[in-house]
Amino acid sequence: MSGLKNSPFGKRLRATYQDNEEDGPRRNRQRVNPIFYTATSSTTKDATPESPITTRDMYGDRFVPSRDAGDMRTSYHLMDESGPSTPSKSRIIPTESDALKEQANAIFTSILHTEVTPPSPRRPTSPQRPTTSSSATTTLPPSTPTRKRIFHYTSPATSANPSTPTRRLDTPTDEAYSMSPVRAESRQLLESPHRQLRSVCKTPYRVLDAPDLADDFYLNLVDWSNTNVLGVGLGSCVYLWTAHNAAVSKLCDLAGSNDTVSSVSWVQKGTLLAIGTLSGRMHIYDANTLQVQRSYNNAHTQRIGALAWNSHILSSGSRDRMVHHRDVREPTHRPFKRCAGHRQEVCGLKWARDGGPLASGGNDNKVCIWDLRGSKRASVAGSSTSGSGSVEDAGGSGNGDAPLWKFHEHTAAVKALAWDPHVSGVLATGGGTQDKHIRFWNTFNGTMLSELDTGSQVCNLIWSLTSHELVSTHGFSSTTAQNQICIWKYPTLNMVASLTGHTHRVLYLAMSPDGETIVTGAGDETLRFWNAFPKKEGGEKRETRLDYGRLIR
């Protein structure tokens, strides 16, 4: 003991003890542990540390922490890599994330929690050293224990209660015989089978310059035909890019009429391309001959921002708040049907597959469902409300003059519209900067199926043809992640991958006819091609009239 008293450790303890004696009366001051800096009151018997790490047992001068009651991340100084979050948003798109990384992070978190906080029995308390008086316990500094056996080895079978030994070690699968560095629970989690997730290439395989590609949320300037030709509106011109040979041809130039392209749309089957302009004109060109077939000089009174084909029916949405339907086979230029359901500009139009209803989105934050076939709702006339209270009975006449359904749930302009090709009657809609939500609707009964908070402006939506997944492009965001292309699994709404590369909001989106490639356009005046989806199983399936399942309604 004399060596310990003259050691630097003993001198430091004596100096600290003398400083505490000179500070004031012993009754009113706090006793400070000079090693661990935990303040304790001299009037209480037990120490009460203020940190989440509490003192469990004191083996002489040994400090054994107990982290059971504290927060795991605070107690073990774990860093939170999620970054700054927005309090008003429950789900934020990460800067770089995919399904494989999310699955690995979830497994790591589970194993870490299992290893750090295992359900183990409480350690037996050490015998208390005999003391001469209670006053000596409170005044004397900590010292080295008198017993010489610092390490004491006992059998786990007899440590709990030697009189009644347990039979735990007789089990061959006991942890005492395990050669694994982790516990049995963690080993079972690692060895269990996991769902196979596909990886998506994060870099585009082709990037094309697109000078004068407008950075306007309300325009639709990119579309991909079923003949594998991409049409792009650049300023007053429309260019065609052929996918199989990367050839570029100029379809038209409207500079002579002092006009600008505001929308393009290919017919479902064929080589006809419809073009809408800022002045309200509409032209139909043949991509094979590069010649104009029809022109509607007074199609609308203001710019045409949305076009959609349904066989030989061409629908157009304009800033004049109207939706016009024309039969391109008729010689007249007048529309055979006019639909007025929006109070502001119509910025999105999309026909359902196989001649189903038409969905329109407007700058008034509304989504309208139109049925030109004269179908009526199955519900009774009057107002019908979904579970979220967002559906309005818009008339019920069913003659096309009034919408079949009208959804009011969005709080920003709705440009992104996409009909599910795998489930009939399911529509996905996306809201603008103030909304940031993707919502899914059942257009048969007018109810909202689910919604997804993306945390950023939704510019475009498109469904995969080879898998039940949805692609969304984004712009302005309330977080650091902006200008992304995200792939979501439906109906779980889990993110499969997020693609980055554009420096401006991704306003334009189209898919190749085989369903494997998507092309995105942004205000940075580039077009990027991504291999987003796998090939179809069993090769390409050709349409045939012998497939009676497609003919049954």
Side-chain angles (χ1 to χ4, degrees), residues 11 110 168 265 442:
K11 293 178 181 180
S110 301
R168 187 173 64 88
S265 179
N442 184 343

Side-chain angles (χ1 to χ4, degrees), residues 427 438-442 447-452 490-491 493:
L427 173 68
I438 300 175
R439 292 181 170 87
F440 301 88
W441 309 90
N442 184 343
T447 58
M448 187 175 68
L449 301 175
S450 58
E451 62 180 351
L452 171 65
Y490 187 82
L493 301 183

Side-chain angles (χ1 to χ4, degrees), residues 18 67 82 87 124 141 155 204 228 263 287 301 313 323 336 338 340 485 498 516 530 549:
Q18 293 174 2
R67 298 178 170 92
S82 59
S155 175
N228 212 11
S263 58
T301 58
I313 304 299
V323 178
F336 69 87
R338 293 182 174 91
I485 303 104
S498 62
E516 301 175 12
W530 313 81

Side-chain angles (χ1 to χ4, degrees), residues 396-412:
S397 59
N399 55 5
D401 297 332
L404 192 66
W405 300 105
K406 195 170 186 179
F407 305 130
H408 301 259
E409 188 69 17
H410 287 284
T411 58

